[in-house]
Amino acid sequence: MVLSSWKRRGRRTLVAAALTTTVITGTAGWASAHEQRPLTGPPPGTASWRADHSLHDALPDPATARPAQVASFFAGLSVSEQHELVVRHPSVVGNLDGAPIGLRYEANARALRAERARALGVAKDATRTEQERSSARARAERCGELLAPERHILAFDPRGRGQIAEVFGDLRGARHVSVIVPGSDIDLGSFDRATDPYGTPAGMARALYRATDARTAVVAWVGYTTPVGLGPDAATGRLAEAGAPRLARFVQGLTAVGAPEPAVFCHSYGSVVCGLAAHRLPASDLVVFASPGVRADSVAELRARARVWAARDDSDWIAKVPNVELFGLGHGTDPTSSSFGARRIAAEKAEGHTGYFAPGTDSLRAFTDIATGDSS
């Protein structure tokens, strides 16, 4: 009897795994994609930073120094010394978690101007292919957009598909802070698509900021290599495992410079990243929505200090992805299930996989309460 029961459970698990593979690899009509190489390690320019002894001492190593140590280091510098480091090492200072927020804005503006100039050079280079020149023109245009005076860029890394963090609101003076963590198909070129205003991290951040009547600062964080399409990368935790320590360090960097512990909102595959980072996040709330699972079977297993919330609307296709984790495929228990133990957020008025931040939805109202500390 016990053996028969085990075999039935095993068959159900294998069927679920097969369904997961079928959905993810595109036989259900969705796109598959090439495997992505995750961007890891310290920011560009780190070798030059490490070799700089102009302050008569070693600078904090971007790969090993904790954000609190970075914050302490900068607090001990004069204003002129801080700005000298920005001029000499903009790519490092702009991405150095624990560095002062204003310095990071200044450094990333410099890095964006440099990347724009580089891309324009490639675009004018007759020896390059038309595809290379076209891609360079698009990169230059994107950098020009991000250099607009009203934009506040907290992180910028042009390597690969490009990574970025943009702030909406006054991060230095906000009583409440939120961080948006995106899912698949998001990078420097797509983090604020006009055709999908509430489905990108910048669009979500902007919507949340407006919904709070500017009572909070919201950060759209694209600091990890996201899956492209719904291929094998989206079905495994490989990219999430690379992204989780980057997210944890970023949030630790916010609190190290005096920001309040943020509410972290995790969309789709981004919730896998958040689940793996949960035990290291100094966050007040962890909100997963449109989630395929978080690589944990319960809230307790996350070991999160934060309150954990979950939302999924009935029209979201993610509900069709089996909640299983087997041989590295799938992401485990549905966070909206009663067995998982998260606080459930109503999302009946949201539409589809990317409609949770649309104005007038019950999900956005709940998110706003969480972001402003008005939830219970």
Side-chain angles (χ1 to χ4, degrees):
M1 179 68 73
V2 173
L3 180 61
S4 177
S5 175
W6 182 90
K7 287 181 177 179
R8 286 196 298 272
R9 288 198 300 271
R11 282 196 295 269
R12 286 197 297 269
T13 301
L14 289 173
V15 168
L19 286 171
T20 300
T21 306
T22 299
V23 169
I24 294 299
T25 55
T27 55
W30 294 317
S32 62
H34 296 295
E35 183 177 84
Q36 298 294 300
R37 177 178 297 177
L39 184 61
T40 59
T46 292
S48 176
W49 170 273
R50 286 170 173 162
D52 188 340
H53 294 278
S54 61
L55 298 181
H56 310 294
D57 199 0
L59 304 179
D61 191 332
T64 59
R66 297 189 304 274
Q69 293 174 316
V70 173
S72 178
F73 166 78
F74 275 95
L77 301 180
S78 68
V79 172
S80 62
E81 287 172 332
Q82 291 181 358
H83 284 281
E84 286 174 11
L85 290 178
V86 168
V87 172
R88 290 200 298 272
H89 309 286
S91 294
V92 173
V93 176
N95 294 287
L96 192 56
D97 298 311
I101 292 166
L103 283 187
R104 292 181 68 170
Y105 290 161
E106 179 185 348
N108 285 315
R110 286 179 174 271
L112 280 162
R113 286 193 290 269
E115 176 65 7
R116 182 174 182 271
R118 184 205 65 79
L120 287 173
V122 173
K124 296 175 182 177
D125 186 349
T127 67
R128 302 293 188 120
T129 66
E130 181 52 38
Q131 182 178 0
E132 289 174 327
R133 295 171 67 186
S134 177
S135 295
R137 285 192 294 270
R139 176 62 67 92
E141 182 178 356
R142 170 42 55 99
C143 290
E145 294 168 350
L146 296 173
L147 283 165
E150 69 275 10
R151 305 194 80 160
H152 305 290
I153 307 305
L154 191 61
F156 170 67
D157 190 333
R159 295 177 296 177
R161 290 158 51 202
Q163 297 185 356
I164 188 167
E166 182 173 10
V167 178
F168 298 83
D170 179 12
L171 184 56
R172 286 173 285 190
R175 291 180 57 194
H176 301 282
V177 172
S178 296
V179 176
I180 307 293
V181 181
S184 298
D185 299 305
I186 301 297
D187 52 34
L188 181 64
S190 61
F191 87 108
D192 61 347
R193 294 187 301 264
T195 55
D196 190 12
Y198 307 114
T200 64
M204 294 176 188
R206 191 178 293 110
L208 183 59
Y209 177 67
R210 290 171 177 169
T212 64
D213 295 326
R215 290 182 291 154
T216 182
V218 187
V219 186
W221 179 80
V222 187
Y224 80 104
T225 303
T226 67
V228 173
L230 293 175
D233 278 341
T236 68
R238 185 178 64 90
L239 295 181
E241 288 163 1
R246 297 173 74 86
L247 173 62
R249 185 179 178 86
F250 178 78
V251 176
Q252 291 164 9
L254 296 181
T255 58
V257 295
E261 292 190 347
V264 182
F265 294 84
C266 316
H267 178 237
S268 194
Y269 188 85
S271 67
V272 186
V273 179
C274 290
L276 294 173
H279 66 289
R280 289 175 286 181
L281 286 179
S284 62
D285 296 89
L286 188 65
V287 184
V288 299
F289 58 104
S291 174
V294 295
R295 298 252 150 180
D297 290 330
S298 67
V299 167
E301 195 172 309
L302 286 175
R303 294 181 290 136
R305 291 169 45 194
R307 297 183 300 177
V308 180
W309 308 75
R312 190 186 69 213
D313 76 82
D314 291 339
S315 64
D316 191 336
W317 58 258
I318 201 72
K320 297 179 181 178
V321 177
N323 291 104
V324 64
E325 186 178 350
L326 183 68
F327 307 132
L329 284 174
H331 303 299
T333 301
D334 176 6
T336 64
S337 67
S338 58
S339 64
F340 187 80
R343 303 175 183 223
R344 187 68 187 271
I345 294 172
E348 283 76 14
K349 294 184 180 180
E351 293 184 6
H353 192 58
T354 60
Y356 293 82
F357 281 84
T361 56
D362 44 1
S363 49
L364 179 58
R365 284 195 296 272
F367 292 170
T368 301
D369 287 341
I370 294 169
T372 55
D374 293 333
S375 61
S376 57

